[in-house]
Amino acid sequence: MAEPSFLNAIRQSYDAVAEDYVRIVAPPERMDPLTRAMLAAFADLVRAADRGPVADVGCGPGRVTAHLDSLGLSAFGVDLSPRMVELARTTHPHLPFSVGSMTALDLDDGSLGGVLALFSTFHTPPEHLPTVFAEFHRTLAPGGHLMLWGYVGDHEVLRPTRAYGGHPVSYEAHLLPVERIAELLGEAGLVVTARLVCEPAGKARWPSACFFAHKPDRS
């Protein structure tokens, strides 16, 4: 099956911006207190459930993966961009990172205690989100947790031409309403337990939403 074209656009764009992304985007120690608190809450949930490791999908240069490790989680990273994965492996050699797509994760069914998708799903066209969320559900163990955070809007589509230091990019950003994202998570079999909507602040130009969800434990 041919790879969807949007994946190649994301891959090429993040390969191009990787070095400046590291320079421009704040590492976990300089994130705002709310983001750090949400990550800490996610870590608490995963540790308490004790269902397995955490996959940081769309991990970029691996700094948040390393932060999860510092919070006591067994964490690894997956990213579509080979250059991002190369930077992650160089900077955090004690952690595993691999090139892969969240549309088809190379992971066993029920093998994860947690999935973190931190600003990594909004490049996905809405018609492909059911596939992504089904992969989250498939790879999570019963009782496993998902934390998803991304930009939201009223079905807006953004097509930037340059980003992160002025590098050419060809990806799109799809900003869906909060209710639609929650609906898609539910359709994938995940139970949404909390959602937090944040107004634009700092350099952010759009609102964002953080979702906590879990895969039901049928036992």
Side-chain angles (χ1 to χ4, degrees):
M1 182 181 296
E3 179 183 82
S5 59
F6 78 92
L7 292 178
N8 192 49
I10 296 169
R11 180 187 298 112
Q12 291 184 348
S13 297
Y14 277 98
D15 276 352
V17 306
E19 280 77 8
D20 277 337
Y21 180 100
V22 172
R23 178 178 61 84
I24 292 169
V25 176
E29 61 268 20
R30 291 198 286 110
M31 285 179 175
D32 63 278
L34 181 59
T35 302
R36 290 175 61 85
M38 293 299 100
L39 289 170
F42 173 67
D44 285 346
L45 288 168
V46 173
R47 282 197 307 268
D50 193 22
R51 294 297 195 273
V54 173
D56 180 7
V57 295
C59 66
R63 296 184 298 191
V64 175
T65 318
H67 182 64
L68 295 177
D69 176 71
S70 75
L71 294 175
L73 299 180
S74 174
F76 64 93
V78 179
D79 200 275
L80 194 59
S81 161
R83 181 57 181 149
M84 285 289 196
V85 169
E86 183 181 358
L87 292 174
R89 288 171 174 167
T90 299
T91 310
H92 310 289
H94 62 295
L95 295 174
F97 296 94
S98 62
V99 177
S101 170
M102 63 182 73
T103 61
L105 292 167
D106 187 18
L107 298 168
D108 292 338
D109 295 357
S111 59
L112 299 177
V115 172
L116 174 67
L118 188 65
F119 291 93
S120 60
T121 61
F122 66 93
H123 290 307
T124 303
E127 63 269 24
H128 291 278
L129 280 177
T131 298
V132 171
F133 294 165
E135 280 294 273
F136 293 170
H137 180 273
R138 178 186 69 80
T139 56
L140 279 171
H145 291 273
L146 166 70
M147 176 178 162
L148 184 153
W149 201 331
Y151 295 113
V152 294
D154 187 17
H155 297 283
E156 300 168 61
V157 182
L158 309 176
R159 296 182 175 88
T161 58
R162 295 186 179 275
Y164 301 108
H167 296 279
V169 294
S170 56
Y171 54 57
E172 296 179 340
H174 299 267
L175 311 187
L176 296 182
V178 172
E179 290 298 330
R180 181 55 180 154
I181 296 173
E183 181 180 38
L184 289 170
L185 290 170
E187 289 174 357
L190 296 163
V191 178
V192 176
T193 54
R195 65 188 83 170
L196 173 70
V197 179
C198 303
E199 298 302 323
K203 296 181 180 180
R205 296 169 57 188
W206 306 280
S208 64
C210 179
F211 299 84
F212 283 82
H214 69 270
K215 181 175 179 175
D217 189 346
R218 302 302 184 188
S219 63

